Amino acid sequence: MSLLVVGSVALDSVETPFGKKEDVLGGSATFFSTSASFFNPVQLVAVVGEDFPEEHVHFLRARGIHLDGLTREKGRTFRWKGKYGFQLNEAQTLDTQLNVFQSFAPRLPEAYRNAPYVFLGNIHPELQSQVLDQVKAPRLVAADTMNFWIQGTREALLKTLKRVDLLFVNDAELRQLSGEHNIVKAAQAVLGMGPSRVVIKRGEYGALLFEREHIFACPAFPLEDVFDPTGAGDTFAGGFMGTLATADRYEPDVLRRAMVMGSVMASFTVERFSLDRLRDLTRQEIHRRFSEFKRLTHFDDLGPLQG
């Protein structure tokens, strides 16, 4: 099943305690589509500038990602610069240059309008709604958002959420959106806003899935080396949505498998800068780590209690 993603393609400059990289490939749609491409055909809609290196286009195309919706406009590509300390859960943004992304108005190629699965990356909620106006009959719509949109465009975001089946957020965004501090109450409040499922990304602490009558907690895969967490959340979403689109079902067992696969894909991304780890990642490595994850989280039933 084809999977449509609309979001940002960017050039990132990232500094962590383990190194520094300038103008490397980044952006929410880039991480998502690269991750999802291991499972499904992906259709990407984004904008880049005249300065966007052709080698990055070749990389995306080599991953089997359809680029008819990637437009090149006059000007510079969206740029983000960030720094991480040893506490890698949150980046310090040093510079953001929207450039051509500032006037981004998603226009879906005709072939993309029949996509059964849609992921709305972290863009203005009015643009997210414009995308939904163009797709014909999606089976499942997922969206991401952030504190900037929650605070500054709340009414537009609430209108979009009524058209969304699944929302990806982190802890802080969930609490800000819901007005609830307790994470369970916060998730239930967001479920009342429209989505039937909420996935809460918690970085090194894993992720939580909430439905109205179903909760699943998934840990993060323990790693010795974490070099760059940039894009981990979007990589998680790509693995999650790719798994759902492959199964074309949403039963609890499929959703749990999607959660684990999201964590598996995110665990590879953070091992190197940018998308470097995903460039040489093999399906065999994915299957092996998924099996390791299963062993890591498996336990036997509780026997009779003594005493």
Side-chain angles (χ1 to χ4, degrees):
M1 290 291 173
S2 61
L3 178 54
L4 169 67
V5 54
V6 181
S8 63
V9 172
L11 296 175
D12 292 344
S13 295
V14 182
E15 181 179 354
T16 80
F18 313 105
K20 184 177 181 179
K21 295 287 185 178
E22 297 285 341
D23 286 344
V24 293
L25 182 59
S28 65
T30 311
F31 282 100
F32 178 94
S33 59
T34 303
S35 176
S37 69
F38 284 91
F39 309 92
N40 286 95
V42 180
Q43 300 166 330
L44 185 148
V45 175
V47 61
V48 296
E50 299 166 301
D51 58 344
F52 190 71
E54 195 63 28
E55 65 185 85
H56 297 331
V57 177
H58 293 325
F59 163 70
L60 295 171
R61 188 171 286 119
R63 285 290 331 144
I65 299 167
H66 297 275
L67 300 180
D68 290 347
L70 180 66
T71 59
R72 190 183 289 269
E73 302 291 343
K74 186 176 181 179
R76 284 165 57 83
T77 301
F78 174 38
R79 279 172 163 77
W80 177 81
K81 184 175 184 180
K83 182 178 181 179
Y84 297 88
F86 283 100
Q87 179 57 265
L88 292 170
N89 258 2
E90 188 171 343
Q92 175 189 0
T93 296
L94 302 177
D95 185 35
T96 300
Q97 300 175 25
L98 294 177
N99 299 325
V100 296
F101 193 59
Q102 187 167 8
S103 56
F104 178 46
R107 292 291 180 266
L108 305 190
E110 188 61 35
Y112 289 16
R113 296 171 186 252
N114 293 313
Y117 292 87
V118 178
F119 178 74
L120 305 170
N122 181 14
I123 57 178
H124 196 294
E126 290 183 355
L127 295 182
Q128 293 177 327
S129 288
Q130 289 176 21
V131 172
L132 295 181
D133 290 339
Q134 298 175 63
V135 292
K136 295 181 179 179
R139 300 185 189 181
L140 187 140
V141 175
D144 196 358
T145 192
M146 64 179 294
N147 53 1
F148 183 81
W149 307 125
I150 295 171
Q151 180 178 347
T153 62
R154 184 178 180 85
E155 290 305 313
L157 177 59
L158 291 177
K159 289 180 181 178
T160 299
L161 288 181
K162 293 178 181 178
R163 307 174 68 183
V164 167
D165 302 300
L166 192 155
L167 178 67
F168 290 91
V169 285
N170 64 30
D171 303 54
E173 293 159 351
L174 179 78
R175 293 186 172 102
Q176 183 182 13
L177 178 59
S178 66
E180 295 280 358
H181 177 74
N182 178 275
I183 202 165
V184 177
K185 291 182 178 178
Q188 294 298 331
V190 172
L191 289 173
M193 297 175 183
S196 54
R197 303 166 186 89
V198 177
V199 173
I200 305 158
K201 301 171 293 184
R202 308 183 70 219
E204 63 179 316
Y205 304 110
L208 294 167
L209 166 70
F210 282 86
E211 295 182 286
R212 286 178 176 82
E213 298 180 357
H214 175 226
I215 301 174
F216 180 63
C218 178
F221 191 83
L223 297 168
E224 290 187 8
D225 298 312
V226 178
F227 279 86
D228 179 13
T230 306
D234 296 302
T235 306
F236 175 98
F240 183 103
M241 290 294 292
T243 302
L244 279 193
T246 298
D248 200 24
R249 296 185 295 113
Y250 325 116
E251 289 88 351
D253 62 319
V254 178
L255 290 165
R256 290 173 182 237
R257 185 164 69 248
M259 289 284 287
V260 173
M261 191 56 79
S263 288
V264 166
M265 297 305 294
S267 74
F268 286 115
T269 293
V270 303
E271 290 181 331
R272 294 185 199 165
F273 282 95
S274 180
L275 289 107
D276 288 352
R277 182 63 179 93
L278 299 187
R279 291 178 187 274
D280 57 15
L281 182 64
T282 66
R283 286 181 170 82
Q284 289 77 12
E285 289 177 302
I286 295 172
H287 283 287
R288 186 160 55 246
R289 185 160 291 183
F290 185 90
S291 297
E292 292 171 0
F293 208 113
K294 187 174 182 178
R295 288 193 295 271
L296 176 71
T297 55
H298 176 79
F299 51 89
D300 293 332
D301 291 335
L302 180 66
L305 295 175
Q306 303 297 319

